[in-house]
Amino acid sequence: MPILTAAVLWGTTGTASSLAPGGAPAAGIGAAGLVLGGLLLFLTDRTARTLPRGCGARERWLLAAGALAVAGYPVTFYPAVHRTGVAVATVIALGSAPVFTGLLGWLARQGRPSGRWAGATAAAVLGCAVLVLGPELAGHGTAVDPLGVLLAALSGLSYAVYSLIGGRLIAAGRPSGGVMGTMFGGAALIVLPVLLAGDPAWLASVRGAAVALHLAVVTTYLAYRLFGHGLRHTSAQTATTLTLAEPAVAAVLGVAALGERLPAVSWCGLAVLAGGLAFLALPARR
């Protein structure tokens, strides 16, 4: 269950980010985690430093495209959160990623999505939407910013693209640690200007450094090592659906650690989400 474990680790991102010092820019927090974690993935795996030289031209282009897609996620997701709110951005980004992965994988001839995957994904996306949007559904909805919706969908597309590229290279026999280290190391260099363009002074405080280290070590380094290992045994389509466990973990942590409250409709959504993921994760009957 390495992919579900990675989703659990990703679910701590929101709680950790909320503990950052006041005034720390949202994009800067995401960039700090990616820069430090990406470099850690690259520097701790020997194959990541030799993989580009041992690949053909086509695979080098795939690695470059994967790095751009990795960098594209925080660049689009955090502005989407700023414009349309955490709930809507999370639902659109995480809910669209499995759909994009299934369609792109089909177009790239990496396998036609099965009926089992489609049913489990539909249930998981519906449960995710009800879980995250539950507070708004139980109260008064707010206006949704069209540009924020577009940015959130682009972040879901970015996630789908680098998951498919990573899965394709790993399935071709490339080491998972090398693939993830190369893509995330390249992405770290791409988003470094985003970190430096903001005010990085928050990193000098104890709380800021602790948040950055958690995002780098736990939600980037450990989570993506597990995700890469999982892609060796799981298709990218199934993997992106399983990562819908992330908002469930984030919601439970918000209740347990931050004292947040969820309405009954959100708990119902959590149950539907869990059922969809369990249906997909359990082995199919012959």
Side-chain angles (χ1 to χ4, degrees), residues 73-186:
Y73 185 85
V75 170
T76 53
F77 180 71
Y78 287 100
V81 169
H82 176 72
R83 296 189 69 94
T84 197
V86 175
V88 174
T90 300
V91 167
I92 295 173
L94 294 181
S96 64
V99 178
F100 280 131
T101 307
L103 293 176
L104 291 175
W106 190 6
L107 292 175
R109 298 180 181 178
Q110 293 189 23
R112 181 177 180 176
S114 66
R116 177 187 175 89
W117 173 87
T121 298
V125 170
L126 175 63
C128 175
V130 174
L131 164 66
V132 179
L133 296 177
E136 294 186 14
L137 294 173
H140 298 285
T142 57
V144 177
D145 183 82
L147 181 57
V149 171
L150 176 61
L151 289 171
L154 288 175
S155 66
L157 178 61
S158 297
Y159 178 49
V161 168
Y162 72 75
S163 296
L164 280 170
I165 290 175
R168 180 170 182 171
L169 292 171
I170 292 169
R174 300 300 178 183
S176 59
V179 171
M180 289 294 156
T182 302
M183 291 197 304
F184 276 79

Side-chain angles (χ1 to χ4, degrees), residues 11-90:
T12 66
T13 300
T15 302
S17 300
S18 68
L19 300 176
I29 295 172
L34 179 54
V35 168
L36 297 175
L39 292 177
L40 192 60
L41 279 168
F42 178 76
L43 294 174
T44 56
D45 195 289
R46 184 179 302 176
T47 60
R49 300 189 290 275
T50 60
L51 182 60
R53 293 196 302 269
C55 289
R58 181 179 179 84
E59 289 186 330
R60 290 195 193 99
W61 279 110
L62 285 175
L63 287 170
L68 285 173
V70 171
Y73 185 85
V75 170
T76 53
F77 180 71
Y78 287 100
V81 169
H82 176 72
R83 296 189 69 94
T84 197
V86 175
V88 174
T90 300

